[in-house]
Amino acid sequence: MVLKGGNGMGGGGALLLYSAPKSGYGDEWMTFLPIGLGFLQAMLKSRGHACRLANLSGKGRKEILAYLRRHDPAVIGVSMFTFNRKRSCDLLALAREACPGAVLLAGGPHPTHLAREVFEDCPSLDAIVKGEGEIPLLEVMARGAAWREAPGLILRDGETPSAPPMEDLDIMGAPVEHFQADFLDDPGQLSYLSTSRGCPATCNFCNTPEFWGSSVRFRSPEAVLREMTLLRARHGLTYFSFRDDTFTANRGRILKLMDLIQGSGMHPLWNCQSRVNLVDEDRLVAMKRAGCEFMQFGVEHGSERVLQLLDKGTNMRQALKALTLVRKVGMNLGIYLITGIPGEEWADVEITCDLIRSALPHDVQVSPLALYPGTRLFDTYRAEGRISPDFFRGSGDAEVFARVDAHTEKALRRLAQVAEATKPRAIYTPAQFREQKAWLGFCAVTNLLCGEAAEEEGRFLEAEAEYDEVVTKEPGNSWGFLKRALLLRRTGRAARARADLAEVLALAPGNPEAVELAREWGAGKGWKASQGPAAVMKGSQAYLDRVEFDS
């Protein structure tokens, strides 16, 4: 189907592309379509411009060329990050070959902050959209042949005035309202939600402040709830992941959103991430009552001295208070840690090990410090000549690591070892669950987590009682039926399990997990649920697999 909506620039309409690098084709996280493309599509389509998305991860040259020629768009945009920069340049070259009259754009943090290098590496590229892309892309589409006058563009011979940041993020609409994506058959990707832009912190290793700004802009609670409601109605989604840098930044907004979710009757489960200095008891209790089962924090390090080296803007008193409070409220707890930091000593690593042991997180993600364009650390390294000007041209998909040495290798392994050893102690005990219930009263998340823990220990009658209570007190909560169906199936009561599964599909038609279960159970196959976080040290392993260390 050829894109419609011509504007004097070729076949008409926009085609927005993404591809993981070749090294990431087997990684489900790398092959996810970026959330931002959904907002760009919603902005264009709600204003009358045709727009399709395409995830070309793993696609070969012939298939890509045929696809591009078939659609013949007027504008082709490529979502470029540091990790997929080579693949993005390849896509732009194929786009120029297939659609010689199209306007070729690149957007994202990497081209925004390294425009000169990207233009040199991508001779087919016409322009770079700097920073927030909705207004510039809309203007490119609206101006037709005069697209070079659109605001927010970096051209080969200069740049146009920046587009002002959108103060009202609700004007974009929600991706689910207009979503059309080729080579993507997993509606679960839409469950990753973005409800704000920017971060109040100014960490020197993060490019969020430079890209989005240091002031946080929010979508309204009503708009967020509407998106969740549409995802439930259209795709049966009942689990969501809020990927905001700092989900809890605005206390009043979060409390209002939690009230709306609780009053909606959807009974979703969800997770989010934030900063340790931006949570309190009221927020966390409201979040759990509204379905939050997993909370992640960018703690980064256990050493106060190293936190200052990173300009993190938080301290260990705040971290321990927040992590302790999450465990008191009774959510799964995750922390992000960084090692391989210039100035980090082995004693600092051991202090971080002590933090893991005392905080008892259920999930720990450890990564070596990487230096990304648009960060103050990157600028410092480059000014000092520690990053060669052509690094990104000759290094494949590699990142710039702050330290490539035996210390970093040893620290990654040590932190991973301590995190793994601490896992058994992180599991909530029956006594802790009783304390949570005595404090909060009935809360479905408590019952569900308690039931899962009981199942793990083979206490099936106790687990069933937990799920029974959810079904009785919240008959509109699909999670009670789903967890009980899995338990009934596990304990040999297939007919009752199928009845509960039918309840799930009645409450959330099209729910991907329930549909898959119905298909597999109908074929007589077994199925094992996997709820909650899983500690996969992706950042560490990528580092350890890639670099060689001096002895």
Side-chain angles (χ1 to χ4, degrees):
M1 184 183 87
V2 177
L3 289 169
K4 303 299 182 183
N7 52 20
M9 295 187 299
L15 187 59
L16 306 181
L17 311 177
Y18 169 78
S19 177
K22 292 182 180 179
S23 61
Y25 286 170
D27 187 323
E28 64 174 306
W29 299 112
M30 275 197 179
T31 54
F32 258 39
L33 201 66
I35 297 174
L37 292 185
F39 285 107
L40 291 171
Q41 183 181 56
M43 189 75 163
L44 291 185
K45 291 186 68 177
S46 65
R47 287 154 179 81
H49 298 285
C51 179
R52 293 188 72 87
L53 311 181
N55 189 340
L56 300 177
S57 300
K59 302 299 179 185
R61 171 185 168 83
K62 289 183 178 180
E63 187 175 4
I64 292 173
L65 287 173
Y67 174 77
L68 295 174
R69 287 167 178 152
R70 184 165 67 252
H71 287 289
D72 187 28
V75 175
I76 298 176
V78 175
S79 182
M80 181 184 293
F81 300 87
T82 297
F83 67 84
N84 76 334
R85 59 191 183 274
K86 296 288 186 182
R87 175 67 168 172
S88 297
C89 287
D90 292 341
L91 287 182
L92 288 163
L94 292 173
R96 178 57 70 221
E97 180 178 347
C99 307
V103 176
L104 303 189
L105 306 174
H110 190 81
T112 292
H113 302 307
L114 282 184
R116 181 179 59 80
E117 289 86 344
V118 170
F119 275 127
E120 290 175 358
D121 292 344
C122 304
S124 301
L125 180 62
D126 289 314
I128 290 167
V129 177
K130 53 183 174 181
E132 189 169 71
E134 283 79 11
I135 297 301
L137 185 56
L138 186 62
E139 288 288 330
V140 166
M141 297 296 295
R143 290 172 185 261
W147 67 266
R148 289 178 179 82
E149 299 173 7
L153 298 182
I154 305 175
L155 306 168
R156 289 185 178 272
D157 56 356
E159 57 184 84
T160 62
S162 296
M166 289 186 295
E167 293 303 323
D168 181 7
L169 296 183
D170 289 355
I171 66 173
M172 297 183 295
V176 64
E177 297 178 89
H178 304 280
F179 195 72
Q180 285 183 298
D182 295 314
F183 311 112
L184 180 70
D185 56 4
D186 178 14
Q189 289 202 14
L190 289 168
S191 66
Y192 290 80
L193 308 181
S194 175
T195 76
S196 65
R197 288 179 176 177
C199 180
T202 55
C203 306
N204 61 22
F205 59 90
C206 177
N207 59 19
T208 288
E210 186 68 23
F211 191 81
W212 294 118
S214 57
S215 63
V216 189
R217 293 167 289 141
F218 301 96
R219 296 171 64 198
S220 68
E222 293 81 4
V224 176
L225 180 70
R226 182 172 182 273
E227 182 176 20
M228 296 172 71
T229 304
L230 286 171
L231 287 167
R232 169 71 171 260
R234 296 184 182 183
H235 301 288
L237 299 184
T238 57
Y239 194 100
F240 302 96
S241 181
F242 294 103
R243 294 293 88 193
D244 305 56
D245 288 304
T246 315
F247 182 65
T248 62
N250 184 305
R251 185 176 186 275
R253 172 182 177 268
I254 283 297
L255 292 176
K256 183 175 182 180
L257 177 59
M258 297 307 105
D259 283 344
L260 290 175
I261 293 174
Q262 286 190 67
S264 70
M266 286 194 298
H267 305 290
L269 292 181
W270 49 275
N271 64 59
C272 66
Q273 57 190 15
S274 194
R275 285 171 57 84
V276 296
N277 61 330
L278 290 172
V279 292
D280 54 34
E281 185 173 299
D282 288 345
R283 270 177 278 196
L284 291 175
V285 169
M287 288 163 61
K288 184 177 180 182
R289 292 191 186 281
C292 183
E293 62 91 19
F294 181 36
M295 182 86 186
Q296 297 170 297
F297 293 97
V299 176
E300 318 309 1
H301 216 278
S303 166
E304 298 273 8
R305 188 180 65 83
V306 175
L307 288 177
Q308 292 175 7
L309 292 176
L310 295 172
D311 289 341
K312 180 64 183 175
T314 58
N315 56 51
M316 278 300 99
R317 179 186 59 80
Q318 294 167 325
L320 288 171
K321 181 180 179 181
L323 304 185
T324 300
L325 187 55
V326 169
R327 285 192 59 88
K328 178 185 175 184
V329 172
M331 303 175 189
N332 285 318
L333 172 64
I335 63 175
Y336 295 106
L337 296 173
I338 299 173
T339 189
I341 300 157
E344 177 188 58
E345 299 174 355
W346 192 253
D348 299 312
V349 176
E350 290 298 339
I351 291 172
T352 305
C353 291
D354 290 339
L355 169 67
I356 296 171
R357 297 188 190 99
S358 61
L360 296 178
H362 300 85
D363 178 54
V364 181
Q365 299 290 325
V366 188
S367 300
L369 179 61
L371 308 178
Y372 292 105
T375 67
R376 283 182 285 130
L377 272 181
F378 182 91
D379 291 342
T380 298
Y381 268 58
R382 203 165 201 193
E384 294 174 353
R386 299 162 74 179
I387 300 175
S388 64
D390 62 350
F391 174 87
F392 291 109
R393 182 171 297 118
S395 57
D397 299 320
E399 301 166 286
V400 179
F401 292 110
R403 289 178 65 168
V404 181
D405 58 10
H407 165 92
T408 304
E409 176 190 20
K410 184 180 177 183
L412 286 167
R413 298 188 188 281
R414 173 65 171 159
L415 292 167
Q417 177 189 46
V418 171
E420 189 66 25
T422 304
K423 270 187 184 181
R425 292 198 300 118
I427 298 170
Y428 292 124
T429 66
Q432 288 171 324
F433 280 122
R434 287 194 294 272
E435 290 174 0
Q436 294 165 20
K437 290 181 177 182
W439 180 35
L440 297 177
F442 172 76
C443 178
V445 172
T446 306
N447 285 66
L448 295 170
L449 296 182
C450 186
E452 290 175 356
E455 280 195 70
E456 285 296 315
E457 296 180 3
R459 294 181 280 112
F460 299 136
L461 289 178
E462 293 180 34
E464 189 171 348
E466 298 290 345
Y467 305 145
D468 286 345
E469 186 175 17
V470 176
V471 168
T472 300
K473 293 191 173 182
E474 292 184 350
N477 190 335
S478 64
W479 283 99
F481 289 105
L482 180 60
K483 296 304 294 184
R484 193 171 68 179
L486 291 165
L487 177 58
L488 291 169
R489 178 78 175 187
R490 182 178 184 180
T491 53
R493 291 170 285 176
R496 285 191 58 197
R498 285 194 293 271
D500 272 357
L501 195 59
E503 294 287 352
V504 177
L505 289 169
L507 289 167
N511 176 265
E513 188 171 12
V515 168
E516 181 64 19
L517 278 174
R519 182 183 302 115
E520 293 181 351
W521 288 2
K525 298 178 182 178
W527 193 87
K528 182 179 179 182
S530 177
Q531 260 302 318
V536 180
M537 305 303 220
K538 294 181 179 177
S540 301
Q541 199 55 52
Y543 180 90
L544 296 172
D545 289 345
R546 182 180 296 150
V547 300
E548 296 180 358
F549 302 95
D550 297 329
S551 57

